[in-house]
Amino acid sequence: MGAPASTLQPYNYARRDFLKLLAMGLLGGKSIFASPLAHPEIPLFRDIAADVGLAFHHFTGATGEYFMPEIMGSGVALFDYDNDGDLDVYLIQGSTFDPAQDPRQSKFPPPPGWKPGNRLFRNLLSETGKLQFVDVTEQAGVGHIGYGMGVAVGDYDNDGFQDLYVTNFGHNVLYHNNGDGTFTDVTEKAGVDDPRWSTGAAWVDYDGDGRLDLFVANYLDFTVKGNRQCFASTGERDYCTPKMYQPVPARLFHNRGNGMFEDVTAAAGIGAAMGPGLGIVCADFNGDGWPDIYVANDGAAAHLWINQKNGTFKERGALSGAALSPDGLPQAGMGVTAGDFDGDGNEDIFKTNLTNEGSNLYVNDGAGNFHDAATNLGLFLPTFPYTGFGTEWFDYDNDGHLDLFIANGAVNRIGSLRSAPYPFGQPNLLFHNEGAGKKFRDVTAAADPALAISEVSRGAAFGDIDNDGAVDIVIANNNGPVRLLLNQNQSINRNHWLLISLEATQGNRFAMGAKVEIRQRTRMLLRRVHTDSSYLSANDVRVHFGFGEDANIQSLIVHWPSGHKEAWDKLKADQIVHIRQGTGRVVRD
């Protein structure tokens, strides 16, 4: 299936080729590009949310009491809820803490036309050929009104339609996708509620029975009645740090296969360690074929739950080297992502932290042992001034190397913004991977001007929203508008790509946790099927590959969650393909 028409204006490719020759110095002049990554007239990304009907403004419910949930949310999901071939958008909304309070009387009242509750926007691309969104929240039945935090996407009943789990400051919600454009709240029946302050969540088949289980991170024992007063160094009221409250344990729910779940937190060993959990990513970090769980904790050592292959986990964060700063100190972990950025076949971990801490890049040796290479690879100093949240490894320019995006926004007053009504804004960051084992380069300036705007960004979801082969970004801003950053890479260069959706006939239907390997003449690329990572958000379940100028694909190998391996040969690049288990060539170790 080829890429449908885009809403962008057609680009003059003859002019592009002329400029490329000029940039390479082949026309006798000096390059006009500061880097080959960006066209001088076309930014790498362009914010088009307002142009395509993605109208959403996050509401904090702030009253001046500085309740901690106000500054922490929220997330966003990119998923194809109606299976029509394009990505829809689900955005998490805040609320007032007092149901009787009029939102218009809050410190930051919502804009005209604002609607309360979470919102689902349907993408009309597949039926009209044009990227446009329409709000279908009421028809779909997913407009939960509560103090929303995050969202996880997964097909827990293997019916071929992705379901939603929504975390809140308060009761959580599981929406079952009915397959007809509507959802049903099955939280009580399924037994997956948690009345505490839940944040990140992830679907993962931890025991290999073919059904997705649910891991839910909880944050602190904060209550509105127990709200404490904290102050900035200037003496002004400010949000408290997590150290003012006690962490609460995460929850692990085992999928019984009959629409119901069992709380196995204690039995699985997850209750053995507590932390103020936020970002979650599930991957096989030690190469034993079983998914592990990494949790970024705010102000405490991160947790790495190693799967013991018998239904239990052991926490090995500190022992693995992926829990603390290089100085051995706990940090304020927020967002997290895992991927093979250096091309060695292992999942490496990137974690965002608080301002003046810098981010971590934990490089995996393949056996689940890590060392922090953020400083050596150029990611520590550029991230040091910012508080990072949503993040993801993704190949934005389709050159075959995983790049990095970070959504930033402070949680405490910024002194230089004292006169601003909401003094927490920071610009986002985009880093280009210069090649396996090389450094990362800050290319934020070449991206959309929206990245340079000081906003309070939180969740970020990644996926090819217009099906053109380039990964786009949806950013959820706290107390601000949603941003849809459309990737314009294909208008700047014509690097080759492949976008893959998997269908498992054994195990979970969307093959969550599968590894997809592509072999070319000179390299091997590895990606994982997932919707988790980032911060309180869910990503496109499809797997994206960039190839640069080499369009040759020798073979595509899928390591299915069931343990089987299959290969497909003679695939062509620059298309979206659907891979069904059982239709390929069996590969034996």
Side-chain angles (χ1 to χ4, degrees):
M1 181 171 65
S6 169
T7 57
L8 297 176
Q9 294 296 317
Y11 182 67
N12 188 326
Y13 290 108
R15 183 173 182 270
R16 179 211 65 192
D17 294 337
F18 170 82
L19 291 171
K20 186 174 181 180
L21 289 172
L22 181 59
M24 296 171 63
L26 299 181
L27 295 180
K30 294 183 179 181
S31 171
I32 60 172
F33 295 150
S35 107
L37 301 176
H39 185 285
E41 296 178 1
I42 301 179
L44 297 176
F45 292 86
R46 181 164 64 95
D47 177 25
I48 62 167
D51 300 332
V52 296
L54 201 58
F56 180 90
H57 193 282
H58 180 259
F59 174 65
T60 70
T63 61
E65 294 299 321
Y66 288 84
F67 298 132
M68 280 195 71
E70 296 169 0
I71 199 65
M72 299 303 295
S74 59
V76 55
L78 277 177
F79 75 126
D80 183 5
Y81 84 93
D82 51 0
N83 285 357
D84 66 351
D86 54 41
L87 292 175
D88 310 297
V89 180
Y90 187 66
L91 287 147
I92 305 300
Q93 185 59 278
S95 181
T96 59
F97 292 93
D98 179 359
Q101 180 187 342
D102 186 339
R104 293 172 296 182
Q105 302 304 315
S106 64
K107 191 173 181 180
F108 302 102
W114 176 87
K115 297 178 181 179
N118 304 336
R119 311 306 297 176
L120 175 63
F121 292 88
R122 182 169 181 257
N123 190 343
L124 302 180
L125 178 67
S126 63
E127 60 187 78
T128 67
K130 180 180 179 181
L131 185 61
Q132 192 72 28
F133 292 89
V134 59
D135 189 334
V136 295
T137 306
E138 280 70 32
Q139 302 96 300
V142 289
H144 176 73
I145 298 177
Y147 208 94
M149 284 287 126
V151 57
V153 170
D155 180 10
Y156 76 85
D157 58 350
N158 288 333
D159 66 352
F161 291 89
Q162 291 179 296
D163 310 298
L164 292 172
Y165 186 77
V166 179
T167 62
N168 296 284
F169 173 66
H171 293 279
N172 298 334
V173 180
L174 174 59
Y175 285 117
H176 174 259
N177 190 333
N178 300 320
D180 59 0
T182 69
F183 293 75
T184 300
D185 182 346
V186 296
T187 315
E188 184 175 355
K189 176 185 175 182
V192 290
D193 193 10
D194 193 321
R196 297 170 294 185
W197 184 358
S198 299
T199 51
W203 294 99
V204 55
D205 180 10
Y206 76 89
D207 56 352
D209 65 357
R211 299 184 294 266
L212 291 179
D213 310 297
L214 181 64
F215 185 94
V216 181
N218 288 309
Y219 192 45
L220 299 169
D221 65 354
F222 170 89
T223 64
V224 171
K225 289 184 178 180
N227 184 46
R228 300 186 180 184
Q229 291 194 6
C230 296
F231 300 87
S233 58
T234 58
E236 299 166 291
R237 280 291 300 274
D238 205 350
Y239 290 101
C240 293
T241 72
K243 294 181 180 180
M244 298 299 292
Y245 303 92
Q246 294 298 314
V248 289
R251 300 283 290 277
L252 179 62
F253 296 98
H254 177 255
N255 189 340
R256 292 178 172 176
N258 58 357
M260 300 175 65
F261 291 75
E262 177 186 4
D263 185 348
V264 295
T265 304
I270 297 297
M274 290 190 295
L278 292 174
I280 305 170
V281 64
C282 304
D284 177 13
F285 292 110
N286 59 0
D288 66 356
W290 292 75
D292 310 301
I293 304 172
Y294 184 88
V295 183
N297 289 317
D298 187 3
H303 288 159
L304 177 55
W305 295 101
I306 296 297
N307 197 324
Q308 302 300 296
K309 300 179 282 189
N310 60 2
T312 68
F313 293 82
K314 289 187 178 178
E315 203 288 297
R316 293 290 185 264
L319 289 176
S320 72
L324 303 166
S325 74
D327 299 326
L329 299 175
Q331 296 167 289
M334 308 291 184
V336 63
T337 182
D340 182 18
F341 84 93
D342 52 4
D344 64 357
N346 306 315
E347 298 267 3
D348 309 294
I349 299 172
F350 181 81
K351 177 168 69 74
T352 61
N353 298 303
L354 193 68
T355 297
N356 297 333
E357 290 185 342
S359 296
N360 309 110
L361 173 49
Y362 296 118
V363 178
N364 192 348
D365 70 353
N369 303 304
F370 299 83
H371 71 276
D372 192 338
T375 298
N376 293 338
L377 295 178
L379 290 171
F380 177 75
L381 287 178
T383 60
F384 190 80
Y386 306 111
T387 296
F389 282 88
T391 187
E392 181 75 341
W393 295 114
F394 75 122
D395 184 4
Y396 77 81
D397 58 349
N398 288 344
D399 67 353
H401 302 296
L402 289 176
D403 310 301
L404 191 66
F405 175 85
I406 307 172
N408 295 315
V411 292
N412 294 111
R413 288 177 174 271
I414 298 175
S416 60
L417 300 178
R418 285 189 64 187
S419 60
Y422 205 61
F424 306 100
Q426 293 179 331
N428 298 324
L429 294 171
L430 179 66
F431 293 94
H432 181 258
N433 186 340
E434 300 289 270
K438 298 180 181 179
K439 290 191 175 183
F440 288 82
R441 183 153 55 94
D442 185 348
V443 293
T444 308
D448 181 70
L451 266 70
I453 298 175
S454 285
E455 294 184 308
V456 190
S457 297
R458 293 294 184 253
F462 300 76
D464 185 359
I465 209 160
D466 58 349
N467 287 339
D468 69 344
V471 178
D472 312 297
I473 312 171
V474 177
I475 303 171
N477 285 311
N478 180 280
N479 194 33
V482 63
R483 301 289 181 188
L484 169 50
L485 299 186
L486 191 72
N487 189 332
Q488 301 189 114
N489 171 73
Q490 294 303 90
S491 295
I492 300 169
N493 63 55
R494 301 301 284 180
N495 283 344
H496 299 287
W497 56 275
L498 193 67
L499 190 61
I500 305 164
S501 65
L502 296 185
E503 180 185 351
T505 57
Q506 302 175 42
N508 73 87
R509 187 77 167 266
F510 284 82
M512 296 260 282
K515 292 182 180 180
V516 183
E517 176 185 336
I518 283 186
R519 294 180 181 177
Q520 294 184 287
R521 285 180 289 243
T522 60
R523 64 180 171 179
M524 184 272 287
L525 300 174
L526 186 69
R527 304 289 184 261
R528 172 175 40 89
V529 181
H530 72 287
T531 61
D532 60 11
S533 74
S534 191
Y535 175 79
L536 309 184
S537 298
N539 304 297
D540 183 3
V541 73
R542 298 177 298 180
V543 180
H544 171 265
F545 286 90
F547 304 123
E549 297 180 356
D550 185 4
N552 177 266
I553 301 173
Q554 293 186 331
S555 63
L556 180 151
I557 300 174
V558 178
H559 303 246
W560 296 99
S562 61
H564 300 94
K565 288 201 300 185
E566 285 184 281
W568 286 261
D569 303 320
K570 300 179 181 179
L571 280 176
K572 293 185 179 181
D574 304 322
Q575 62 173 331
I576 301 172
V577 297
H578 182 79
I579 300 292
R580 189 173 190 270
Q581 187 175 10
T583 64
R585 170 172 51 86
V586 176
V587 177
R588 303 189 187 279
D589 293 325

